[in-house]
Amino acid sequence: LLTYKMVSVFGQTISLALIIFPLTYAIGDITAEVFGKSVAIRLVLVTLLADFFIDTALSLSTHVSSPEMLSEMTKSITVVFSPLQHVFWGNLIGISIVSIANVNLMSKLKSQLHSQYFILRSIVSTLCGEIIYTIIAYSIWFVGRTSLHNIEIMIAVSMSFKLFFAALSSIPSLY
């Protein structure tokens, strides 16, 4: 749900998910490293399924009628969740493509680098995944809702934060 919360940081609009999302890559990378590619892919698929059900339930909740005494609350829920379908689909499509690609790239780099340089492999695979995800998701989220220039700025700011947090989240794997 943090994807939906936009905040201003240093004058730029970003999603609060920028802080949490790189951790999902770190978890996927560590899972692929320790348990292998097939377990990491299963983890990704279960996570995507859970995300799909939660987002679908939130979306459907806006269409369920409520008792008259709760009409104001129902209106508030509808105002909050109805416009988020494009965010849901952008997120789901982006994560679906990128999570599987990240695990595959991490596994391929592990093989090519003879199971050495975990942090380098993690940062490279995460950075590739973040670039692709950000372009896909932000295009779905914001095309037609703001100017191309604003989208480019949001992508650049987002990538800066994501790169920083991706490097930061890989540090615990040193120990």
Side-chain angles (χ1 to χ4, degrees), residues 116-168:
Q116 296 180 2
Y117 312 110
F118 174 79
I119 290 182
L120 175 66
R121 292 184 282 124
S122 179
I123 290 173
V124 167
S125 65
T126 298
L127 182 59
C128 291
E130 290 285 14
I131 289 169
I132 296 166
Y133 171 80
T134 302
I135 291 169
I136 291 170
Y138 277 54
S139 296
I140 293 170
W141 294 345
F142 298 115
V143 167
R145 290 175 176 78
T146 189
S147 70
L148 184 57
H149 178 71
N150 285 343
I151 295 171
E152 291 168 348
I153 291 171
M154 287 189 290
I155 288 173
V157 170
S158 175
M159 287 308 306
S160 300
F161 277 92
K162 287 177 180 180
L163 179 58
F164 171 75
F165 286 115
L168 192 63

Side-chain angles (χ1 to χ4, degrees), residues 49-158:
L49 189 61
D51 185 35
F52 174 78
F53 283 124
I54 290 169
D55 286 342
T56 301
L58 288 173
S59 177
L60 290 175
S61 73
T62 64
H63 302 291
V64 176
S65 63
S66 298
E68 188 63 35
M69 65 183 175
L70 299 175
S71 66
E72 286 303 312
M73 186 181 345
T74 301
K75 288 178 190 173
S76 298
I77 289 170
T78 302
V79 166
V80 170
F81 291 114
S82 287
L84 296 177
Q85 279 303 103
H86 66 281
V87 174
F88 160 70
W89 286 111
N91 197 35
L92 189 64
I93 292 167
I95 290 173
S96 298
I97 293 168
V98 171
S99 296
I100 301 294
N102 185 64
V103 169
N104 285 320
L105 180 56
M106 185 68 178
S107 296
K108 185 171 186 132
L109 290 173
K110 181 178 182 178
S111 174
Q112 289 180 342
L113 296 173
H114 309 290
S115 298
Q116 296 180 2
Y117 312 110
F118 174 79
I119 290 182
L120 175 66
R121 292 184 282 124
S122 179
I123 290 173
V124 167
S125 65
T126 298
L127 182 59
C128 291
E130 290 285 14
I131 289 169
I132 296 166
Y133 171 80
T134 302
I135 291 169
I136 291 170
Y138 277 54
S139 296
I140 293 170
W141 294 345
F142 298 115
V143 167
R145 290 175 176 78
T146 189
S147 70
L148 184 57
H149 178 71
N150 285 343
I151 295 171
E152 291 168 348
I153 291 171
M154 287 189 290
I155 288 173
V157 170
S158 175

